[in-house]
Amino acid sequence: MKQWQDRKAIGDAHERRVAAALRARGWTVHPCGQGTYPPAVREALRRTRSALRQFPDLIAARGSDLITIDAKDRMPSTDTDRYAISTDTVNAGLLFTAAHAPTPLYYVFGDLKVLTPAEVVHYTAHALRHRSGVAFHLVRTERAHRFDDVFGSAGTAAAA
């Protein structure tokens, strides 16, 4: 359990970092998804393959714009210069965007670069199956967008 708790702490810190970066750009940000559920619900979700496990971490609004964010830290790979996103995550992201269109979903990585689920599928150069049985999409980091290009620059919050 310690390994999961360590990963959770890293993920929570990254979510806070992404939320702060969005707020600096004039976005109103609120947590959503699995991290907001009571422990019994989180535990039940952990034991299922439901797409609800992959629900976005944050929802944000600026003016009439509404977006969702799935914060993905500890990427890119230190060996390959590629992001590794599980196929379960991408499939759930594609379902989410189809069901909630036109609300976009963005993956924000530890280097604050950004991709959408559709871009991940489009740019996948190689799918890797981990020894655990989980498959991953591998996308070169150079394909990702700069945070400021997607969400605006810090300091322009007042103009938004």
Side-chain angles (χ1 to χ4, degrees):
M1 186 60 114
K2 177 134 174 59
Q3 189 177 37
W4 179 85
Q5 290 169 335
D6 293 341
R7 287 193 337 254
K8 175 84 168 105
I10 291 167
D12 289 348
H14 181 54
E15 286 175 30
R16 288 189 300 273
R17 178 176 170 227
V18 171
L22 287 167
R23 287 184 185 106
R25 287 152 179 83
W27 293 88
T28 299
V29 183
H30 196 273
C32 63
Q34 193 173 170
T36 64
Y37 303 145
V41 173
R42 286 196 309 264
E43 182 61 25
L45 274 174
R46 195 171 69 82
R47 293 191 164 112
T48 182
R49 292 183 45 88
S50 170
L52 288 173
R53 290 184 66 192
Q54 309 296 332
F55 205 79
D57 301 311
L58 302 169
I59 189 166
R62 184 175 64 188
S64 62
D65 292 328
L66 181 67
I67 61 169
T68 57
I69 303 287
D70 195 356
K72 300 290 182 199
D73 198 8
R74 294 175 46 160
M75 299 175 186
S77 165
T78 56
D79 299 325
T80 65
D81 202 30
R82 294 182 287 188
Y83 301 115
I85 308 102
S86 78
T87 55
D88 288 347
T89 296
V90 174
N91 290 340
L94 292 169
L95 287 170
F96 177 86
T97 54
H100 301 287
T103 305
L105 168 62
Y106 298 101
Y107 299 129
V108 178
F109 301 99
D111 59 1
L112 288 184
K113 294 282 187 84
V114 181
L115 287 168
T116 67
E119 289 172 327
V120 169
V121 171
H122 180 75
Y123 292 137
T124 294
H126 177 68
L128 174 69
R129 185 163 301 277
H130 187 267
R131 67 182 176 272
S132 67
V134 176
F136 290 88
H137 290 272
L138 301 177
V139 179
R140 295 200 52 80
T141 57
E142 65 196 27
R143 296 288 195 173
H145 308 279
R146 291 179 49 240
F147 192 88
D148 287 353
D149 292 343
V150 177
F151 305 113
S153 299
T156 59

